[in-house]
Each structure stands twice: as structure tokens, then as C-alpha cells.
Amino acid sequence: MEIVKTIATARALRARYGRVALVPTMGALHAGHMSLLAHARNNAPCVAVSIFVNPTQFGPKEDYNKYPRPIEDDLDKCEEAGVDFIFAPSAEEVYPPGQPDIVVDLPALTTPLEGKHRPGHFKGVCQVVAKLFNIIQPTAACFGQKDFQQLRVISAMVDALDMPIDIIPCPTLRDPDGLAMSSRNAYLSADERQRALAISRALMLAYSEFRSGIIQTNRLIATMQRPLLENHLNIDYVAAVDANTLKPVEKVDGPTVLAIAARVNKTRLIDNVTIAPPESLPQRDDDEE
Ligand code: PAF
């Protein structure tokens, strides 16, 4: 596994390969990232990982400085997973002092949900992902569905800018108790972690309610709010949105994302589940017989 820190060496290394699948990360790798690596491996003979805690996607009061950076551990995990190369640049390499700021934005998709609570977040995400795509020129890139809005925004950016990259959505990995895996789970005390379980429980309750025939989203939202409030979580949003437009929906009559962002003391967590009426799902071959 080769580790490069400059854009020039990353480009030179990338040129040795044909198809490359990139897994962009901010490090602090966990089993969820390992699953992204496995998806990447299925998509290209060369797997590249970027490890870069991107300052431009953090708000002034967010956790940029305290974000975990266990680089040696991350490198060991990548080596074990058979990653071919790592791009781990410094902030100055990615954002050289004096370089004019550039904004890539898709306001229709970046303003709701996370955008409301983290103004500027997706501008930073699009800025760094566009740069990483230009540097590594991957043929595919893997993103987790836990950050479903990020996944939607990046897919739309790639479409809108005609970038020849397949965006591979990868399912959320959960701990056995249901908590969605996230690098920020490391901030939780044992008690906070217990309370954080209300988030996945809320989603599962709403999912079961939908399966029992409830399609009115005001009912599903009320069901999700209950366990969050009972566990004294501070809710940023509990929403039911169209999976494509991210606009709120009143009824589940197409693919719909139930999404939660809530804070357990100082730790902000997000999670979601996609639901859809059976008739809106793509038909499988064996359904057609
Ligand atoms: O999801 C993340 O870890 C980050 O937002 C990403 C895509 C690596 C961009 O910094």
C-alpha cells in the first residue's frame, strides 16, 4: 500500500492504474468504512482511500479541532483491507494559501435538512469532493447511505458537472444494538450511547408502522419523535422527504427517506431509513414470472 501526501504524487500514482474506486473519508475508520472498501473492491481492481479532515465543511462551532485523527490505526486498517493507495494531504496542500475560494452548490438539495442546521456544510463537502475527484480521477466512488443527503448531493453534482464517475451507494452498517456506525460515536459516554439508541429505535418503529399500512407522514413523524423526547435528545429535525428531491412529503407514495438528526448532549448524530410502497420499487426478474 502506498501513502501519498501531495497532489502531484497522487496523480503520478493514479496514472499507473486503469479503473480506480475511491473511498473518500475523514479517517477514524470503523467497520462502516471497511464495508465501503469492500464495495469499492467490487467496483474496480484498484482501491484508493483519501483521509482528510476537511476544514471547509465544519461550521465555526463544530468539532473540527477535536475530530478524531488516529492516522496510524487508519493506515493499519487500510493495509489489512488490501487498499492500494492512500491520499492523505495536509490542509495547505488541498487549500493553498492565496488560492481563491471556489463554491460548488446545488441549493435545492443542500438547503433543507442538514443544510438548515449546518449552513455551508455541503459547500465544503462539494468543494473537497470535487477536488478529490479531479485529483484522483476515480472511475467509481463509494458513499454511505447514513449520510443520505450527502450521497444525493454528490450524485447530483456528478450528474450536473458531467463527471464520468459511478457513485456507489453503500448501506448503513449498524452495531448489534442498532446504533448506526459513525466516527462521532466515539464521543458518547456509556449513558449517552444508551440514549442514542432512541434514534435507530425511532426509525424502526416508524418503519414497522409504515409496514402495517400507515402512509401519512405526520403519523410516522410523531412516532419517531416520541422515543427521542423520552430519552431527552435535542431534536434538530425528524423528517419524511422524497428520496430524490428531498422535499417533505405528506404521504409515502414513492421512495421516501425518514431522517433524524438529534443531539445527545454535545454529540450530534444522524440516521435514516428509506421506505417505499412495493409498487414503486423496481421489479426483480423473479417478480415478473
Ligand atoms: O462523509 C465524509 O466522511 C466526508 O463528508 C467526505 C465525503 C469524506 C468529504 O470530506
Side-chain angles (χ1 to χ4, degrees):
M1 183 174 83
E2 297 203 55
I3 303 162
V4 291
K5 293 180 177 216
T6 67
I7 294 172
T9 46
R11 282 194 200 286
L13 190 54
R14 193 273 171 257
R16 287 199 221 145
Y17 297 96
R19 284 186 303 122
V20 172
L22 173 67
V23 180
T25 80
M26 298 207 299
L29 305 181
H30 49 67
H33 294 108
M34 296 302 113
S35 135
L36 299 184
L37 297 181
H39 282 272
R41 179 62 69 204
N42 287 338
N43 275 277
C46 169
V47 173
V49 172
S50 60
I51 300 181
F52 179 60
V53 184
N54 173 37
T56 68
Q57 68 188 74
F58 288 80
K61 292 192 183 141
E62 293 185 10
D63 54 346
Y64 174 68
N65 287 323
K66 82 166 196 183
Y67 198 84
R69 291 165 169 85
I71 185 73
E72 290 308 322
D73 190 46
D74 288 345
L75 295 178
D76 289 348
K77 285 180 176 152
C78 288
E79 177 100 64
E80 248 170 66
V83 168
D84 297 279
F85 77 90
I86 305 271
F87 178 48
S90 65
E92 292 70 33
E93 181 69 10
V94 178
Y95 302 115
Q99 192 175 72
D101 207 17
I102 183 152
V103 175
V104 181
D105 200 6
L106 308 89
L109 297 175
T110 60
T111 328
L113 303 165
E114 287 299 285
K116 244 189 218 144
H117 296 271
R118 303 185 69 188
H121 170 67
F122 287 117
K123 283 186 191 155
V125 169
C126 288
Q127 179 184 37
V128 78
V129 172
K131 272 176 167 274
L132 291 170
F133 284 177
N134 281 331
I135 295 164
I136 308 289
Q137 304 199 355
T139 45
C142 299
F143 292 89
Q145 280 168 331
K146 186 174 87 67
D147 296 298
F148 88 97
Q149 188 174 9
Q150 168 171 281
L151 173 61
R152 180 70 197 99
V153 165
I154 289 168
S155 303
M157 176 183 83
V158 162
D159 274 356
L161 295 179
D162 306 304
M163 294 172 159
I165 302 169
D166 288 332
I167 300 300
I168 315 293
C170 305
T172 302
L173 243 68
R174 296 180 182 281
D175 283 330
D177 56 12
L179 189 69
M181 289 187 188
S182 159
S183 304
R184 290 192 168 96
N185 293 351
Y187 301 151
L188 298 169
S189 68
D191 170 65
E192 288 171 341
R193 200 199 140 83
Q194 218 31 53
R195 288 165 53 212
L197 295 179
I199 300 176
S200 52
R201 202 159 55 243
L203 290 168
M204 288 312 118
L205 286 171
Y207 178 72
S208 316
E209 200 167 45
F210 168 69
R211 293 284 300 259
S212 73
I214 306 297
I215 61 164
Q216 291 80 7
T217 55
N218 57 355
R219 294 207 29 203
L220 300 176
I221 288 172
T223 295
M224 289 189 278
Q225 282 166 337
R226 233 167 283 130
L228 303 178
L229 297 173
E230 280 164 11
N231 285 276
H232 309 289
L233 269 58
N234 288 313
I235 298 175
D236 275 357
Y237 57 79
V238 173
V241 298
D242 180 288
N244 197 38
T245 64
L246 308 188
K247 291 201 189 321
V249 290
E250 284 179 9
K251 282 190 184 153
V252 182
D253 50 15
T256 299
V257 182
L258 303 178
I260 295 177
R263 279 164 291 122
V264 192
N265 294 339
K266 287 193 178 144
T267 306
R268 187 173 186 278
L269 300 171
I270 59 173
D271 197 357
N272 68 84
V273 66
T274 301
I275 56 177
E279 65 275 12
S280 75
L281 294 172
Q283 292 260 308
R284 292 202 332 254
D285 285 351
D286 49 350
D287 290 340
E288 281 163 5
E289 283 163 13

